[in-house]
Amino acid sequence: MEFVDLATGKKPRGATQDEILMNIAFSSSHSSKCVKRHVGAVVASSMGQVVSAGYNENPLGTNPCIEEPLYQRQCFRDIVRNEHFKRLSEQGAKCPVCGSELKYKPGPPWRCSACSSRKRKTNLESFFFPDRAMTWCTAVHAEVRAILAAGERARGSTLYTTTFPCAQCAEKIVQSGVRKVIFTEPYPDVYGAKRLELGHVELEQFEGVRSASFERMFSRTKPD
């Protein structure tokens, strides 16, 4: 289906429905102050009309992590992981790769110092936090924010998102009745993909020269 400008009744020259809606999703991501990544999402009706938009940010009435004094302006997920690795060190836990006692050093990244001395980069997070502590993320993710704003209108819709949904978002997407998800940036969450598959949600990666152009244009505003 091609996007039609409701005001003129014509298709914008050189732009498809998917390109325009993904552009809106990228624009929405600019509102995020997340210190890790900026994500935008759009819920669109079967006619290609924008129903709602969202971005990843802490709930209304609370500060973004970078503005929260209690978090010392850090990502809360990093705080959780650092506290966990500090406890492991205090308890004499050993590196699952080399067997040496873990020496605490605030991250990210979280490396084994003994492995590092042997020129080996052991990613401790992959062993102790395979979900990258996503369950501790304080933000309402972009997909969920867009779905909440859409309400019942999300049923049968297409969700455009700049990043592949995580497992937590996948559950909400299935529950809301979204029919299809179009994403730009892949995300290392096989559980999210499996959840969407079980929920019979169609997946499509946004392709084409405009995808690359969007990434070059908007990545300048992304956090490191």
Side-chain angles (χ1 to χ4, degrees):
M1 179 183 297
E2 295 182 342
F3 179 85
V4 175
D5 188 319
L6 296 180
T8 64
K10 298 179 180 180
K11 172 188 171 185
R13 185 175 181 180
T16 67
Q17 170 185 296
D18 286 351
E19 291 164 351
I20 291 173
L21 292 171
M22 190 60 77
N23 190 1
I24 296 172
F26 267 109
S27 297
S28 297
S29 72
H30 288 175
S31 296
S32 173
K33 293 184 178 180
C34 177
V35 297
K36 293 296 184 182
R37 66 173 64 223
H38 297 166
V39 182
V42 166
V43 172
S45 71
S46 59
M47 298 299 293
Q49 296 173 309
V50 174
V51 173
S52 63
Y55 56 93
N56 61 315
E57 192 52 81
N58 287 349
L60 295 175
T62 65
N63 292 324
C65 291
I66 197 170
E67 296 177 358
E68 178 51 63
L70 184 62
Y71 299 164
Q72 298 181 332
R73 294 171 173 77
Q74 301 176 59
C75 170
F76 184 72
R77 291 164 52 222
D78 287 351
I79 295 173
V80 169
R81 285 176 283 193
N82 279 326
E83 289 177 348
H84 182 73
F85 283 117
K86 184 177 181 180
R87 285 195 298 271
L88 288 175
S89 176
E90 292 171 347
Q91 294 166 2
K94 298 184 184 301
C95 172
V97 176
C98 71
S100 301
E101 284 196 6
L102 294 176
K103 304 298 183 183
Y104 173 66
K105 181 181 179 182
W110 293 274
R111 308 286 190 194
C112 168
S113 57
C115 286
S116 296
S117 67
R118 300 183 180 95
K119 308 300 183 182
R120 175 188 292 167
K121 290 185 178 180
T122 299
N123 181 9
L124 295 175
E125 184 182 27
S126 64
F127 294 99
F128 296 99
F129 282 97
D131 68 342
R132 302 176 68 240
M134 288 304 298
T135 53
W136 294 99
C137 180
T138 56
V140 177
H141 289 190
E143 301 94 321
V144 174
R145 196 179 288 262
I147 288 170
L148 289 174
E152 282 299 315
R153 294 180 296 169
R155 193 160 300 279
S157 68
T158 297
L159 176 70
Y160 292 79
T161 177
T162 58
T163 301
F164 192 89
C166 67
Q168 288 85 357
C169 287
E171 293 176 347
K172 281 75 171 181
I173 290 170
V174 173
Q175 176 67 21
S176 69
V178 168
R179 177 185 61 85
K180 182 178 182 179
V181 172
I182 298 178
F183 63 95
T184 297
E185 181 188 8
Y187 190 78
D189 193 333
V190 294
Y191 302 110
K194 187 63 177 178
R195 197 66 182 151
L196 292 170
E197 178 187 344
L198 291 172
H200 307 290
V201 177
E202 183 181 350
L203 293 174
E204 178 184 322
Q205 184 166 10
F206 182 71
E207 300 284 353
V209 294
R210 283 182 174 78
S211 174
S213 298
F214 286 160
E215 184 65 24
R216 286 195 302 271
M217 181 183 301
F218 291 112
S219 62
R220 299 174 186 173
T221 62
K222 288 184 178 180
D224 294 332

